[in-house]
Amino acid sequence: MNNITRQSIYILILSTFLLIFVLTFSFVWLIPLGKEYREQRTKLSYENADLRRWKSFDTQTFTALKNLQSDNRHIITAFQNGFDEKRFINKYAKLFNSLTLSKTTQKDNVDIFELYEVTTSSQISSPATFYDFLDEINKSDWIVEINFPIKFKREGEVINSSFTMKVYCNARESSKDSNTSKLLKR
């Protein structure tokens, strides 16, 4: 036993200490963190799969939006146009002998459309002119809804008609000043 040197004892003690330290470090720190790492890696793979599905959904939705915008560009621009009563009368007065337009008050006070009463008269024997008017209004720069009932009254050779129409326009934006509307369009 005397053959063991002091240096060998120090190396043996140091080796034993390092072995105990490595084993303690492994069981206390590395193995629990390894288990947590595997759990986190599994969770990350699920989240990546979910992210891919949402990106695919986003791409499909964006494509559908762009298709709808291109298909309905006329409607979108018509909604943004303000309604001009004088322009409406000038454009459609040629279809009738007389055309009057009067704005009416709304009962439910909805801000998204304006309500107008339209009264027309024309010297025709059938309401075909009125149907031509409906075809023309469908191609107009405004979104217009003709409300029923439409009242036709014959007086000799003249057919008088009366109906209401809703003109859909962005009333909130048309009531603001032009600077604010320019900021909103950016």
Side-chain angles (χ1 to χ4, degrees), residues 74 92 133-142 144 146:
H74 177 72
Y92 297 112
F133 166 72
L134 290 179
D135 287 338
E136 287 291 320
I137 204 129
N138 280 334
K139 299 172 189 171
S140 72
D141 295 336
W142 307 291
V144 177
I146 306 295

Side-chain angles (χ1 to χ4, degrees), residues 31-171:
I31 293 174
L33 287 182
K35 184 178 179 182
E36 184 179 332
Y37 168 75
R38 287 188 300 278
E39 290 171 356
Q40 292 293 331
R41 186 179 60 190
T42 305
K43 184 179 177 183
L44 180 63
S45 67
Y46 287 131
E47 288 178 1
N48 282 337
D50 197 34
L51 177 65
R52 282 191 300 274
R53 277 185 288 162
W54 283 112
K55 280 186 178 180
S56 173
F57 175 74
D58 179 52
T59 304
Q60 291 171 352
T61 305
F62 185 73
T63 304
L65 172 68
K66 288 300 176 187
N67 289 339
L68 285 172
Q69 283 178 337
S70 65
D71 293 345
N72 300 306
R73 183 169 311 283
H74 177 72
I75 295 169
I76 293 169
T77 56
F79 184 72
Q80 292 172 347
N81 289 338
F83 182 69
D84 186 8
E85 295 176 34
K86 292 177 186 175
R87 185 170 162 231
F88 180 84
I89 291 172
N90 289 339
K91 187 172 186 175
Y92 297 112
K94 64 184 177 191
L95 297 173
F96 303 101
N97 287 347
S98 69
L99 173 73
T100 57
L101 184 68
S102 59
K103 191 170 183 176
T104 60
T105 59
Q106 299 178 38
K107 296 174 187 171
D108 53 359
N109 196 16
V110 178
D111 291 335
I112 61 170
F113 64 88
E114 298 172 357
L115 190 61
Y116 290 89
E117 178 80 24
V118 178
T119 307
T120 63
S121 67
S122 57
Q123 291 183 344
I124 54 172
S125 59
S126 72
T129 303
F130 180 75
Y131 295 116
D132 292 339
F133 166 72
L134 290 179
D135 287 338
E136 287 291 320
I137 204 129
N138 280 334
K139 299 172 189 171
S140 72
D141 295 336
W142 307 291
I143 299 175
V144 177
E145 175 186 351
I146 306 295
N147 294 331
F148 292 96
I150 299 171
K151 299 172 189 164
F152 290 104
K153 185 177 180 182
R154 184 175 185 95
E155 295 176 4
E157 291 295 315
V158 176
I159 295 178
N160 294 320
S161 60
S162 176
F163 59 93
T164 58
M165 71 176 192
K166 292 179 183 174
V167 178
Y168 291 90
C169 62
N170 199 349

